[in-house]
Structures are given as C-alpha cells and as structure tokens.
Amino acid sequence: MSCSEDAGRQNSPGDLEDGARPDTSLVKLHSFILCKYDKARRRGDIDDWTDHSDIGASFDGRVLTAEEYQRTEDRYIAAAHILARAAGASRFTLRNVFLHSPPPDWLGEVYEGRIVDMTSALRMLRGHMSGDAPAAWFESEKMCMMMGFDFYMHVQIPERALASLDEIEEMGLFVLGDREQDEAEDEEVHVSRHADDDFWTEVAERLAVRSSAQQQEARTLVVERWAGGILGRRLWLVAADDLAPVAASVKRQALISAFIDPEIHATSRGEVARAVEAARRSDSDDDGADVVIFPLAGDRELHTVTVEWDAPLPDDGGLPPGQEFGVFPWPAKHAVCLEAIVPGDDGCVTARWVASSTS
C-alpha cells in the first residue's frame, strides 16, 4: 500500500465520531503529527508500507521485515513515552474508543471514559498499530495522543514538552505542524444528565402518554453505547413494564438513548432488501441513512444487523435467523429521544458523549 500526505489528516481529533473533543482549556496545548515518512513519501512520490499486514511485501525495492516493522513500532512508543514524561502525564481518559473486534483479555472492559495508566496506554497504542487493540484518543489535561491511520500519530503537548520533539526527530520520526489549540467554545452539546431512577421514570411516563394517545402499547428503542463500532452498543425494544431489567443491566459510563415509539417497518425475509432501501431514503435528506435490521420474533435485546448508508443491501446469508423482521433507519431522527449517561460505581461520570439532535 502507498501513503499520501492526506493520510495524516485522516482520523484526526477534529473528525472524531460519537464523543467529544478533548477539553484542553486548563493547559495550552500544541498539536503535532508524528510520522515515519519523509516529504517524498508523504506526497506519495515513493511507495512505503503503512500497516502491520505489509510485512513481507516489497516497497521501493525493499522487503519489509518483521524486525524493521518492530523497530518502527518501538520508535512510536518511545516517542509517546518521551512526550508524556515531559508533559507530566501519567493517566489518560479513553475517548472515542472504537470496538470493531473484541479487545484483548489483558485490557479488560473497554469503554468511553475509562481511565488508564501510562503502561496500559502505551500497550494500547502498540496493540492498535498491530491490530490487536482498539483505537482510542488518550486524553489528560497535560497531554493528548492518538494513533491515526497509516502510522500518523496525533499528539497535543504543552509548552514545556516542546523541546522533546528534537529528541523524537533524532530517533528517525518526522514532526509535522505546530498549531496551538483553539480556545473557541465547542459548539457541540454534550449529555450531562445521569441515567438514574428519575431518567427511567420519565421514559416510562413518556411511553404511557404515547400509549394512551394511540390506544395501543408504545415501545421504546433503548440504545446503550459504551464505545463506537459494532461491538460498542446494545439495543432493546421494550414497553414501559420491561424497562427495569434494561436499567439494571446497562454498563457504567454508557450513553443511554431512549427513542420513544420510533417508526419501525415490518417486512418479510424476502422483502428485506426493498425495505432497507425504503428506510434508507425515508430518513435522510442526503445520500441515505444507516439501517438496522432485527428479527421480530426475538428477545427484548435485539440481535441486529446494521447496513451502512453506502453499503450493499444484504443477501439472505447476511440476515439474522427468522422470517419476519423489523427495519428502521439509524439514528431515528424523527423520534423523540431522551438521553443520559450511566454513572460509575462512585456515582461520577467520566464519559463525554455528544447529544443527539433528536433529544
């Protein structure tokens, strides 16, 4: 694979999904990108490797060996450690975690707002480079860092750590940019409410009002998100009487989005593709929406398949078991939504989630 200068702009902190940008107001931080590519390779004039899977392949007449890959990975980890030590950062809060595969056993439970020490943070960074650990933005008031795509590392460091950049360049990494973090107020609105008894009571009351108005039992789509990615969420479709088991099972620091009586389209197995296409177009003013498919004859916790807005429609083998399905666009933009965050065991919230526009 080849890399280009634009690769360093991908997956940058300003483009993160499902969470907030880091709060760097306490200490003035400067943003840099660290990479292994010289200017010609950043422009794409010279082909270079960009991933752990490239080991054994040839680039610009040289075969990437496991030993060379390991030396490069070591340089990034050493750079992160040097900057953290210079900044005085020893603990980081995980932001914008993405779970597309199960995390390694040593890491334990992974979720937005979890606090990790330096050893765990560096191990996660290394694991992400080799594909063994989830991606995350590591935040502290003293320093922030993230491993982006194609071996571009994004860092934000204070004034006192700037001198350490010379040491990093001497190690063989290139330092790009010197931008002071903007102090302008973040326009994103973050969820501040706790998912306590009052929250769940209000959800039940909203359902009761809706049920009375339409003379039939209304249900809520409860979405629990503790991380981004397909393994970072659970969904339930429940009536008011079934909210208690859901409230008792949600994870700490998770964002709870309760969509009150969303419009769900019933369809048969043979008509799923047509229903997905209709739902995709009905809830979006742009190119289309993601669509969730679930079996109607299932548990309260939904076993879902999500079809992304630009992905091919599913074939029969890509569907859950069953003959009858429910289909709805995601997110359910036209449904009333109540949102809150589940506190930790100490009653505190360390997660930071952007509020839905439907709240």
Side-chain angles (χ1 to χ4, degrees), residues 42-58:
R42 293 197 300 272
R43 289 197 308 255
D45 297 341
I46 301 176
D47 196 23
D48 203 353
W49 62 272
T50 60
D51 190 79
H52 176 267
S53 62
D54 290 332
I55 292 175
S58 179

Side-chain angles (χ1 to χ4, degrees), residues 48-353:
D48 203 353
W49 62 272
T50 60
D51 190 79
H52 176 267
S53 62
D54 290 332
I55 292 175
S58 179
F59 299 88
D60 193 33
R62 293 182 56 190
V63 174
L64 173 63
T65 64
E67 292 75 18
E68 181 181 349
Y69 171 85
Q70 189 64 54
R71 286 193 295 270
T72 302
E73 192 176 274
D74 290 344
R75 280 197 289 271
Y76 279 95
I77 297 303
H81 198 189
I82 289 168
L83 291 176
R85 188 172 62 243
S90 59
R91 289 159 60 85
F92 296 89
T93 303
L94 300 185
R95 301 291 186 206
N96 302 97
V97 185
F98 282 84
L99 291 175
H100 297 294
S101 59
D105 291 341
W106 65 264
L107 188 52
E109 191 176 10
V110 178
Y111 53 90
E112 160 75 20
R114 178 183 167 183
I115 298 173
V116 298
D117 60 18
M118 173 58 67
T119 300
S120 296
L122 294 178
R123 193 171 178 184
M124 281 187 71
L125 278 174
R126 186 184 290 278
H128 178 54
M129 283 187 277
S130 60
D132 296 328
W137 174 253
F138 297 85
E139 173 190 297
S140 78
E141 64 181 36
K142 299 176 180 179
M143 173 192 172
C144 303
M145 59 183 178
M146 178 188 73
M147 195 69 201
F149 296 139
D150 297 343
F151 278 73
Y152 284 87
M153 178 180 283
H154 301 263
V155 298
Q156 295 174 357
I157 57 176
E159 192 82 25
R160 64 176 177 271
L162 295 180
S164 298
L165 295 174
D166 292 337
E167 183 178 354
I168 289 171
E169 288 184 321
E170 291 173 0
M171 291 165 43
L173 294 179
F174 295 87
V175 178
L176 311 178
D178 181 3
R179 182 171 58 84
E180 195 173 88
Q181 282 303 104
D182 191 355
E183 286 188 342
E185 184 177 351
D186 196 333
E187 295 180 357
E188 293 173 323
V189 177
H190 302 111
V191 177
S192 59
R193 185 175 185 178
H194 287 198
D196 52 18
D197 290 343
D198 290 342
F199 170 77
W200 293 106
T201 297
E202 182 179 351
V203 174
E205 289 173 347
R206 293 284 191 110
L207 284 173
V209 170
R210 185 74 173 174
S211 297
S212 177
Q214 62 188 16
Q215 296 297 303
Q216 65 179 16
E217 186 176 58
R219 294 182 295 176
T220 179
L221 174 68
V222 178
V223 181
E224 174 196 10
R225 283 181 286 178
W226 57 91
I230 59 175
L231 297 183
R233 65 173 183 255
R234 290 188 293 183
L235 291 82
W236 289 266
L237 187 62
V238 294
D241 291 344
D242 297 318
L243 281 171
V246 176
S249 66
V250 292
K251 298 176 182 289
R252 57 190 172 181
Q253 307 302 336
L255 172 67
I256 306 301
S257 303
F259 295 90
I260 307 300
D261 201 29
E263 184 176 1
I264 295 176
H265 306 278
T267 188
S268 65
R269 192 176 195 92
E271 295 294 320
V272 164
R274 185 177 302 175
V276 167
E277 186 63 31
R280 176 181 279 173
R281 299 299 175 189
S282 68
D283 205 62
S284 176
D285 298 327
D286 302 316
D287 296 324
D290 293 354
V291 176
V292 176
I293 308 168
F294 66 95
L296 288 174
D299 300 329
R300 296 186 185 95
E301 181 180 342
L302 303 184
H303 300 280
T304 63
V305 171
T306 301
V307 184
E308 295 184 354
W309 69 271
D310 59 347
L313 299 181
D315 56 22
D316 189 72
L319 296 176
Q323 295 300 318
E324 301 296 326
F325 297 96
V327 173
F328 60 88
W330 174 255
K333 295 180 180 179
H334 302 303
V336 173
C337 178
L338 301 178
E339 291 189 305
I341 299 175
V342 182
D345 296 336
D346 57 359
C348 296
V349 168
T350 54
R352 193 161 62 238
W353 292 97

